Amino acid sequence: MSIILALNSIRVVFYLLLCPQYKLFRVKRLYLLSLVLMTSILTYAQSPLGDEGNQFSLASGYTTAGIPVVASYEMGVYPNISFGIEASYRMFSESTDTATFDHNIAGLSFFGNYYFNEMLNMDEKMGLYAGINFSYYKWFSPDDYLALGKSSSTFAVGAQLGYRYYFGSFGLYIEGVGSTDHVGGKFGLTYRLD
C-alpha cells in the first residue's frame, strides 16, 4: 500500500509542477506540493528519531551563493516525520559588469523531513530522508550594491534530500539542497540527544 501511495504522490507532484493549464504561481504550487507530500506520507516508516527523538547537527558545504556554515536542531514529531530549525551563515562574492561585491548572508530556515527507513527496510543506523524548507536570508551588502536597486533580503522555498549514518549517538550526513535562493550541498556531523 505504501508503494501505491508513493506513486500517487509522485503523479500529483508532476501534475502540480509541470501541467501548463494548472495556472498557480510557482510559490503556490510549492506550497500545495508540500501539503500533498506531508499528508500522503503521514502513516509510514520509522525514522531514526522516532516520534520523540531530537538531534543537533553542524555542517558546511558549497552553494551557488557561497560557502555555508550551518547549525540545526531537528525533532521527531511522528514516527517518520521530523521538523526543525536551521541557522546558517555564508560569505559570497558577486561580480557584475562594473564591480565586485562582497556579501555576508545570515539565514534562518524551518524544515520538515520524511524518513524512508521502514518503506525501504533500512536499518535504524541509517536515515534516508527528503523534505521541504522555508527560509529567510538577510544579505549584509555594501551600500553601492543596494544603490543598484538590489534587495537586501530574500524569502526562499526549497527541498532537500539527505542520508545519515549513525555510530551510536553520533552520525555523519550528506544533504543536497535546492531552493529559490541557491542550490548546493552540505556535509556534517549529527548528535542525537536521546
Side-chain angles (χ1 to χ4, degrees):
M1 174 143 175
S2 62
I3 293 173
I4 293 170
L5 191 56
L7 291 174
N8 281 333
S9 296
I10 291 169
R11 182 179 56 82
V12 170
V13 167
F14 281 112
Y15 177 77
L16 290 175
L17 292 177
L18 302 176
C19 188
Q21 67 252 36
Y22 198 75
K23 296 189 181 197
L24 288 177
F25 292 106
R26 177 189 246 179
V27 173
K28 288 182 180 178
R29 286 184 190 179
L30 287 172
Y31 177 72
L32 193 52
L33 166 66
S34 67
L35 288 176
V36 168
L37 286 175
M38 295 306 266
T39 56
S40 68
I41 58 182
L42 279 175
T43 59
Y44 300 97
Q46 173 71 35
S47 82
L49 290 176
D51 57 357
E52 294 183 9
N54 299 285
Q55 64 188 15
F56 180 73
S57 299
L58 294 173
S60 186
Y62 177 78
T63 71
T64 54
I67 308 263
V69 176
V70 178
S72 66
Y73 170 76
E74 185 175 0
M75 60 189 239
V77 294
Y78 200 73
N80 58 334
I81 304 281
S82 67
F83 290 107
I85 186 168
E86 176 180 282
S88 65
Y89 175 78
R90 294 178 275 156
M91 293 189 314
F92 177 56
S93 185
E94 179 181 11
S95 295
T96 65
D97 293 337
T98 58
T100 298
F101 300 101
D102 293 324
H103 308 284
N104 294 302
I105 308 164
L108 183 65
S109 301
F110 296 93
F111 62 88
N113 286 324
Y114 170 71
Y115 285 83
F116 296 96
N117 288 29
E118 187 175 305
M119 187 185 296
L120 300 175
N121 268 339
M122 295 174 69
D123 190 301
E124 279 193 18
K125 292 180 180 178
M126 299 179 232
L128 177 64
Y129 61 92
I132 57 171
N133 60 71
F134 300 95
S135 306
Y136 173 76
Y137 298 102
K138 175 67 177 159
W139 291 54
F140 298 95
S141 304
D143 290 336
D144 48 345
Y145 180 78
L146 299 175
L148 295 174
K150 304 284 187 168
S151 174
S152 64
S153 63
T154 306
F155 284 101
V157 177
Q160 66 270 358
L161 175 66
Y163 177 80
R164 279 189 174 86
Y165 190 86
Y166 295 95
F167 305 94
S169 292
F170 285 94
L172 297 174
Y173 79 101
I174 188 167
E175 184 176 285
V177 179
S179 76
T180 54
D181 180 65
H182 65 274
V183 175
K186 56 188 171 185
F187 178 76
L189 180 66
T190 297
Y191 178 70
R192 283 195 279 194
L193 303 171
D194 317 333

